[in-house]
Amino acid sequence: MDMHPDQLRISRETVRRLLDDQFPQWRNLPVRPLATQGTVNAIFRIGERFAARFPLRRGDVDATLRQLEAEAQAARELAGRTPFPTPEPVALGEPGRGYPLPWSVQTWLPGGVVATDEDPGESVAFAHDLAEFVRSVRAIGTRGRTWSGEGRGGDLRAHDAWMQTCFGKSAGLLDVPRLRRMWAALRELPRTEGADVMNHGDLIPGNVLVSRGRLAGVLDVGGLGPADPALDLVGAWHLLGAGPRQVLRDVLGCDVIEWERGKAWAFEQAMGAAWYYAGSNPAMSRMGCRTLERILAAGTPA
């Protein structure tokens, strides 16, 4: 079942042709599709060192190329700036036989599995690692840049219309009246203008590699950029149980407003994932439901 109404299909044979046509130096490398919970790209292993990423949704060629170039620049900016490995850009592919959009190749990160397959939720050591990753990303510095105005990372109230859609689509799946009350409180949390810091922007289980309860790497780094300092705190709710979550908060020294705004961004992301992927990507839907359960259990400050 497709996740999106405009979803593209990319086969191993198509990837093989594109590689042979555009990167003949990799002609002898095997191509293997990966079964992931990703919602933006289809991923294929290229030999042992590379991964090719193909946007799943139809779009304008020039706009897609600009997006891939921006993602590559973000990956270069993050590379080596944290104690944990992150993918690095290798090449950009062009539209070709069987695929209508630009695509990208980046390094493959060995040595871990995604957190959907190895749950780190009760690992205090992982909480310390995640805090160190967030702290390292924030230390990169914005160089005067501010939030782009797109997606998560600005005014919570700008997401009211989307939340109403989510509440309407979630009847029978979630406790919608209770969730409406929760959002009514979260959306009022104030944002400190001019306080943007660098964020990964999408610390969900599918973007985090785990090995023996420790953080082994972070994927999907193309969204690196300035935003609300609370944005990367979504990882506290998507990835951690109550005890380790408190450890992460203590290590980062989050005040009440920052912590609650992190909860609000996790809430916004989880509400969409829970219903939108219920039939097409059950792992993403379960992540959304679990995150909402954690948020409801924590409640809001008096």
Side-chain angles (χ1 to χ4, degrees):
M1 180 180 180
D2 287 347
M3 292 179 287
H4 312 292
D6 54 353
Q7 185 163 322
L8 295 165
R9 302 289 183 92
I10 307 101
S11 68
R12 190 189 71 81
E13 291 73 22
T14 296
V15 175
R16 179 79 273 166
R17 285 196 302 269
L18 290 168
L19 286 170
D20 291 350
D21 289 347
Q22 299 181 34
F23 301 103
Q25 69 270 32
W26 297 333
R27 187 164 290 159
N28 294 325
L29 297 181
V31 173
R32 306 193 299 277
L34 295 184
T36 73
Q37 285 79 48
T39 63
V40 178
N41 296 286
I43 312 294
F44 291 78
R45 287 286 303 273
I46 310 299
E48 298 301 318
R49 296 173 51 208
F50 306 125
R53 295 159 55 86
F54 294 82
L56 281 170
R57 305 187 74 166
R58 296 183 184 276
D60 177 77
V61 170
D62 290 339
T64 301
L65 179 59
R66 288 193 298 271
Q67 177 64 33
L68 293 180
E69 289 173 339
E71 290 177 357
Q73 179 56 38
R76 282 190 287 268
E77 186 172 4
L78 181 59
R81 300 297 296 274
T82 84
F84 308 97
T86 56
E88 299 182 33
V90 175
L92 289 178
E94 300 176 350
R97 290 188 291 166
Y99 186 72
L101 294 174
W103 46 283
S104 63
V105 180
Q106 59 183 212
T107 55
W108 174 259
L109 298 188
V113 298
V114 290
T116 48
D117 296 333
E118 183 179 327
D119 184 3
E122 299 307 319
S123 171
V124 170
F126 181 88
H128 280 279
D129 290 343
L130 186 62
E132 181 59 29
F133 177 79
V134 171
R135 189 158 49 196
S136 299
V137 171
R138 291 176 174 179
I140 292 172
T142 65
R143 292 187 282 114
R145 293 168 293 179
T146 58
W147 178 62
S148 68
E150 298 181 358
R152 293 178 292 274
D155 185 351
L156 288 161
R157 292 169 296 184
H159 297 264
D160 281 343
W162 172 241
M163 285 294 93
Q164 294 309 312
T165 296
C166 292
F167 294 139
K169 297 286 189 177
S170 298
L173 177 66
L174 302 169
D175 185 349
V176 172
R178 191 177 175 195
L179 291 166
R180 285 184 183 275
R181 293 192 295 271
M182 175 69 75
W183 178 248
L186 293 173
R187 69 182 294 280
E188 298 297 332
L189 292 163
R191 180 173 187 257
T192 303
E193 295 301 324
D196 290 355
V197 301
M198 296 297 279
N199 286 263
H200 172 277
D202 198 19
L203 290 177
I204 61 174
N207 290 337
V208 172
L209 296 178
V210 181
S211 178
R212 299 181 180 180
R214 303 299 298 264
L215 180 60
V218 180
L219 306 174
D220 203 9
V221 300
L224 177 80
D228 181 350
L231 183 56
D232 273 351
L233 298 180
V234 297
W237 305 92
H238 293 321
L239 290 158
L240 297 174
R245 190 187 315 134
Q246 184 63 46
V247 169
L248 180 139
R249 179 179 182 178
D250 292 343
V251 172
L252 291 176
C254 302
D255 64 24
V256 172
I257 295 299
E258 181 183 16
W259 188 247
E260 292 299 305
R261 284 184 66 84
K263 181 192 295 182
W265 291 123
F267 183 101
E268 188 272 351
Q269 190 172 26
M271 279 298 309
W275 71 267
Y276 187 88
Y277 297 111
S280 62
N281 192 333
M284 280 291 290
S285 179
R286 287 194 298 270
M287 180 211 75
C289 292
R290 183 176 67 172
T291 296
L292 292 170
E293 289 171 1
R294 288 170 170 170
I295 290 171
L296 288 172
T300 56

